[in-house]
Amino acid sequence: MSFDTTAHNRRMTYFDEHESVWLFGYGSLIWKADFDYLERRPASIRGWVRRFWQGSHDHRGTPEAPGRVVTLVADAGATCHGMAYRIPPRVFEPLDIREKNGYLRVVTDMTFEDGAADGVEQAEGVVYLAGEDNAAYLGPAEEAAIARQIAESHGPSGPNRDYLLNLAAALRELGFEDAHVFALERALLAE
Ligand code: BEZ
């Protein structure tokens, strides 16, 4: 099962005339920045939580046995911590292909968390979001079941477990708490 969002994202022209755009990363973009960027800063967005509720049929699983990767779920009181990248808009072209399995580019406000000397603390930018109406969406499940699925899944980008362990390690290194991710990491390592 797949839901190729590339064409939809190509029509997202909101930032086309900008020299650079802030992209908020909350999943693999935190630890796998294999694209050109001008600067990066720890950042957060409000009103969202990170959840391993999106199926991965093309990176960390297969159409027959999907893995699980993160998306954002609306939660009015929550803050999601991640990494923001200032990118030239042309970088969306390869990213739209890399993240084509249900993710749409959405405009978001973000807050920088590094207290940088330039005094800029907020920006409008973009986040990739896979909503519950996309065909690859798996939704919630028991932690143990999610951890088991991640432990057993492999895809063209490698084992699903590496995705979870890399994300947990990156969040820890940045000093960010995420109860959902760390609980899944514990469950996976206890398998
Ligand atoms: C991210 O790391 O922000 C991200 C996660 C899933 C799809 C695209 C981007």
Side-chain angles (χ1 to χ4, degrees), residues 11 14 21 27-28 67 69 74 79 95 101 107 119 121 130-131 148 153 162 176 185 189:
R11 294 194 290 273
Y14 189 79
V21 186
S28 60
V69 290
T79 298
L95 279 179
N101 196 25
V107 176
E121 287 175 356
R148 169 61 56 86
S153 298
D162 288 357
F176 294 146
E185 178 192 38
L189 294 175

Side-chain angles (χ1 to χ4, degrees), residues 24-30 70 99 103 128:
F24 179 76
Y26 58 94
S28 60
L29 293 183
I30 298 180
V70 289
E99 309 298 353
Y103 292 93
Y128 282 95

Side-chain angles (χ1 to χ4, degrees), residues 2 7 14 24 46 56 91 101 175:
S2 73
Y14 189 79
F24 179 76
R46 299 182 66 136
S56 178
V91 169
N101 196 25

Side-chain angles (χ1 to χ4, degrees), residues 4-25:
D4 191 335
T5 45
T6 313
H8 188 287
N9 281 326
R10 289 276 182 275
R11 294 194 290 273
M12 203 281 205
T13 54
Y14 189 79
F15 290 106
D16 274 8
E17 303 309 317
H18 292 223
E19 197 179 305
S20 64
V21 186
W22 281 101
L23 169 65
F24 179 76

